[in-house]
Amino acid sequence: ESATAFGCLMSDMWLGEFDCVSPEVFHSVLGKRYPTFSKRTQQDAQEFLICVLNELHEALKKVRAQLKRRCVTDAKASRGSGSETSIITQLFEGQLSYDITCLECETTTTRPESFTVLSLPIPSNSACSLQDCLKCFFQQDTLTWNNQIHCSWCGTKQDAAVKGTITKAPQIIIFHLKRFEWQGKHKRKLSTDICYPLSNLDLSPYSSPLFCTDAAYSLCAVVNHSGFLDDGHYTAFCKHSVTKNWYSFDDAQITKIPNSSVQTDTAYLLFY
C-alpha cells in the first residue's frame, strides 16, 4: 500500500499536470504504519526519511522475492541472498567497517555495519565544512569505562581504539547533520553554517584502499530546517535530473533558484 501510494506520488510529480503536488495520500498511508507521523505535530525529517526508506524496502523486497519464485530458470534470480535486496538497498545502502583494537594486547577485530544515512557530528559552533564533519565522524575514537569491549584474546573487558572506513559507498549517499544535541537535560539546535560542495565530493580519504573508487559525488537535494526545536519549518532544494536546474520547495510554493542559493546555514539533510 505504501509503495503504491509512493508510486502514485512519483507519477503525479513527473506527469507535470499540476503546479504543485501534495503528498497527503502517501503521508496518510505511512501514518497508519507509523502513528507518530500521523499527528499534526513537529517531527524529525531524518527519522521520517528512515521510516520511508524502511517501508519501501520491506514492500519492494517482497515483490522481488515473488518475482524470483516465478523466474527460477533465471541464473541471477536463483542466487538465494537476493531476497533481502530491493531498489532501496541498491541505491542507498552502504557498508562501513570498524577496526576495533584492544589497547592491552593490540589484537584487532573487524566489525562490518551497513548504513543508509550517515549522521555526522558538527565540530564547530561558528562555521565549518562538510569535510570537517566527515573527518570528525571517521577519526579514531577510544572506548573506555562503560564502552569497553570484551577482548576474546585477553578474556576481560579492555579499553579499545575504534576506527571506521567506508568499504562500500552507495550510489546515493545521505548525510544527516546533527544539529540537535543534548546539553545536560536540555536539547539545543546548532545553527552552524556548514559549507558543502555542489559537486566533486571526494570520499576516498574515508574509504578502504581495497574498495576505493574515483567516483566523485554531486549534490542532488537538500532538506533545510529553519526555526527552533518545537517551532520549525522544513523546506527542500532539489536538482532537476534532466535540466540540472535547482528548485526550492516551500509547501505549495515552488521556485527556480540559482546555484549560489543552494548553500544555506539551515541545511539538515544532504543527498549526494
Side-chain angles (χ1 to χ4, degrees), residues 76-145:
K76 287 181 183 174
S78 57
R79 279 186 194 159
S81 65
S83 62
E84 281 302 301
T85 64
S86 70
I87 186 67
I88 301 301
T89 56
Q90 287 166 21
L91 291 176
F92 298 101
E93 189 173 88
Q95 195 89 22
L96 295 174
S97 178
Y98 286 100
D99 285 342
I100 304 165
T101 305
C102 172
L103 294 180
E104 181 63 30
C105 68
E106 298 188 355
T107 301
T108 299
T109 55
T110 303
R111 193 188 82 214
E113 189 177 285
S114 59
F115 70 89
T116 49
V117 178
L118 281 184
S119 289
L120 304 181
I122 300 173
S124 168
N125 284 333
S126 52
C128 64
S129 68
L130 181 61
Q131 287 290 356
D132 293 331
C133 298
L134 284 163
K135 279 177 197 162
C136 194
F137 180 89
F138 285 103
Q139 71 184 3
Q140 182 170 292
D141 202 3
T142 306
L143 303 176
T144 59
W145 299 96

Side-chain angles (χ1 to χ4, degrees), residues 11-22:
S11 178
D12 287 346
M13 285 169 62
W14 282 98
L15 281 172
E17 293 176 1
F18 311 99
D19 289 337
C20 64
V21 176
S22 171

Side-chain angles (χ1 to χ4, degrees), residues 103 142-150 156-160:
L103 294 180
T142 306
L143 303 176
T144 59
W145 299 96
N146 294 336
N147 295 317
Q148 283 183 322
I149 60 150
H150 185 274
T156 56
K157 282 195 167 187
Q158 297 289 351
D159 289 356

Side-chain angles (χ1 to χ4, degrees), residues 127-194:
C128 64
S129 68
L130 181 61
Q131 287 290 356
D132 293 331
C133 298
L134 284 163
K135 279 177 197 162
C136 194
F137 180 89
F138 285 103
Q139 71 184 3
Q140 182 170 292
D141 202 3
T142 306
L143 303 176
T144 59
W145 299 96
N146 294 336
N147 295 317
Q148 283 183 322
I149 60 150
H150 185 274
C151 177
S152 53
W153 189 260
C154 295
T156 56
K157 282 195 167 187
Q158 297 289 351
D159 289 356
V162 59
K163 192 172 191 320
T165 53
I166 299 171
T167 50
K168 181 199 160 202
Q171 223 172 307
I172 300 169
I173 191 162
I174 306 169
F175 299 116
H176 162 232
L177 304 174
K178 293 170 78 172
R179 291 199 178 275
F180 302 105
E181 68 169 21
W182 288 99
Q183 204 170 41
K185 293 181 181 178
H186 304 287
K187 209 175 188 186
R188 67 170 187 142
K189 182 185 174 185
L190 296 173
S191 53
T192 305
D193 193 357
I194 298 163

